[in-house]
Amino acid sequence: MSDPLDTVFAALADPTRRAILTMLLEDDMAVSDVAEPFDISLAAISKHLMILGRAGLIVQEKRGRVKWCKLQPDAMRSTSIWMQGFGQFEPVNLEAFERFLAAEFGDTGGL
C-alpha cells in the first residue's frame, strides 16, 4: 500500500492495534509493557507495532536497552480530513477517540 490513507486505515482495522493505540494515549510505553496485557507473543506484538509505525501512528525509540513506543496523533490528520469530505464527520478529537477506544476495548487499567 503506497497511499498513506490506505496504510492508516489498514493499521486501524485490527482490534489489537486499536487497543495498543488506546494504551499509548496515556503515555509512552516500553514494548514489553505494551505486550503484557495481550495473550500473544512478543514477536506478534512487534509486528503490530511495525504496522502502526509504518502508518505513522506511532514511533519507536531506543532509550538505553529498552525500546519505547510513542503515539503520533497527527498521523490521523489526513484520515480526518478525508472523512470530513463526506460532510458527516468532525475532525478527529483525541479525547473522543480515547473514549471510543475505551468503550470498544474496556479500561486499559491505566496503562
Side-chain angles (χ1 to χ4, degrees), residues 4-35:
L5 194 59
D6 290 346
T7 306
V8 170
F9 278 123
L12 293 174
D14 185 273
T16 299
R17 291 191 286 272
R18 292 192 306 267
I20 290 169
L21 291 176
T22 300
M23 293 165 47
L24 293 175
L25 280 169
E26 296 294 320
D27 201 1
D28 300 358
M29 295 179 73
V31 170
S32 58
D33 293 334
V34 170

Side-chain angles (χ1 to χ4, degrees), residues 43-57:
I45 289 294
S46 293
K47 286 181 183 180
H48 284 298
L49 293 173
M50 181 183 67
I51 292 166
L52 291 169
R54 283 186 187 156
L57 296 169

Side-chain angles (χ1 to χ4, degrees), residues 31-89:
V31 170
S32 58
D33 293 334
V34 170
E36 197 261 304
F38 298 99
D39 193 25
I40 57 177
S41 69
L42 187 57
I45 289 294
S46 293
K47 286 181 183 180
H48 284 298
L49 293 173
M50 181 183 67
I51 292 166
L52 291 169
R54 283 186 187 156
L57 296 169
I58 67 164
V59 292
Q60 293 185 62
E61 63 182 35
K62 199 105 165 158
R63 297 181 196 164
R65 293 190 295 180
V66 178
K67 192 179 261 191
W68 287 78
C69 303
K70 179 179 180 172
L71 184 67
Q72 295 293 106
D74 285 343
M76 285 190 240
R77 188 177 313 281
S78 63
T79 307
S80 175
I81 291 168
W82 181 82
M83 291 183 345
Q84 288 174 49
F86 291 94
Q88 48 189 318
F89 296 99

